[in-house]
Amino acid sequence: MKNPCLVVIDVQEKLYPVVQDKDNFLRNLEILIRGFKLLDLPIIATEQVPHKLGHTVNPVRKILSNVEPIPKSSFSCASDDRFNSMCDELLNVDGYVLAGLETHICVYQTQKQMSLLGKHVEIVADAVSSRNRNNHDVALDRVRNSGGFLTTTEMILFELKGNAEGNVFKQLSKLVK
């Protein structure tokens, strides 16, 4: 992938406080979002039934101040018409990078459906989480065992940068330290 879209899935007020390793998850997600912004790559955010689960948590909302989250009720983002329309409007996007909550429900189902539609999709393993560690681990195993792609925050950002040159590289290096 050279020009992927980051999809930040359901990092909401009632979900985030109860997920495993939430501080590390949030740190990696913030680095990932800031990295995509540095690389000037598109970002889409979603919120699962926000009237029940709340809105995107404040630290993420601040970084994504220019991104209006798409409210949805389907677990898979790819089952939502507004999400699909937004993806269709993106020019030259050659893949999707998924991060957010919860690994075994919305992230997994989005990856599965988008892959079945022929899209290249990668899940950022250190920027997804679930309430239960076993659910998280089984979902990542299922993705891996079905031929899906896993990556990490640093791995995807430096893969997209491609070289250790210039100001963007220096800024990315500072982000991950």
Side-chain angles (χ1 to χ4, degrees):
M1 287 186 301
K2 296 228 185 264
N3 191 41
C5 175
L6 174 62
V7 181
V8 179
I9 301 172
D10 308 344
V11 185
Q12 292 167 255
E13 295 160 330
K14 290 193 178 174
L15 292 174
Y16 170 71
V18 296
V19 298
Q20 298 290 306
D21 199 15
K22 66 182 178 183
D23 295 332
N24 193 44
F25 157 75
L26 185 60
R27 179 183 178 281
N28 288 327
L29 182 61
E30 288 174 342
I31 291 167
L32 186 64
I33 293 168
R34 290 182 196 281
F36 264 69
K37 289 179 95 168
L38 272 173
L39 295 164
D40 198 29
L41 293 168
I43 301 172
I44 296 173
T46 66
E47 293 178 341
Q48 181 73 18
V49 290
H51 62 281
K52 292 182 181 177
L53 297 176
H55 292 285
T56 302
V57 295
N58 204 34
V60 175
R61 199 171 354 151
K62 283 181 182 177
I63 302 170
L64 292 177
S65 61
N66 61 335
V67 175
E68 182 67 32
I70 299 168
K72 64 182 183 64
S73 61
S74 58
F75 294 125
S76 170
C77 296
S79 292
D80 184 87
D81 291 338
R82 287 168 289 191
F83 176 83
N84 290 325
S85 291
M86 189 165 281
C87 290
D88 290 345
E89 291 172 12
L90 296 171
L91 301 176
N92 302 318
V93 166
D94 59 359
Y96 295 87
V97 175
L98 307 184
L101 303 175
E102 286 188 79
T103 313
H104 67 294
I105 304 173
C106 295
V107 175
Y108 169 73
Q109 289 186 35
T110 299
Q111 181 275 333
K112 182 179 176 184
Q113 188 172 1
M114 291 182 85
S115 293
L116 288 172
L117 293 170
K119 299 179 189 301
H120 180 84
V121 183
E122 297 188 19
I123 293 177
V124 185
D126 61 359
V128 292
S129 188
S130 294
R131 289 167 287 139
N132 175 287
R133 171 64 69 188
N134 189 51
N135 285 334
H136 169 81
D137 292 344
V138 168
L140 293 182
D141 284 345
R142 185 173 278 189
V143 168
R144 187 181 308 108
N145 291 334
S146 65
F149 298 95
L150 300 179
T151 190
T152 66
T153 299
E154 280 194 46
M155 186 176 179
I156 191 68
L157 291 176
F158 286 111
E159 178 182 344
L160 292 169
K161 175 60 181 106
N163 60 54
E165 299 172 354
N167 191 41
V168 171
F169 169 73
K170 288 178 186 174
Q171 290 179 36
L172 283 176
S173 294
K174 285 181 186 176
L175 272 179
V176 300
K177 289 185 180 180

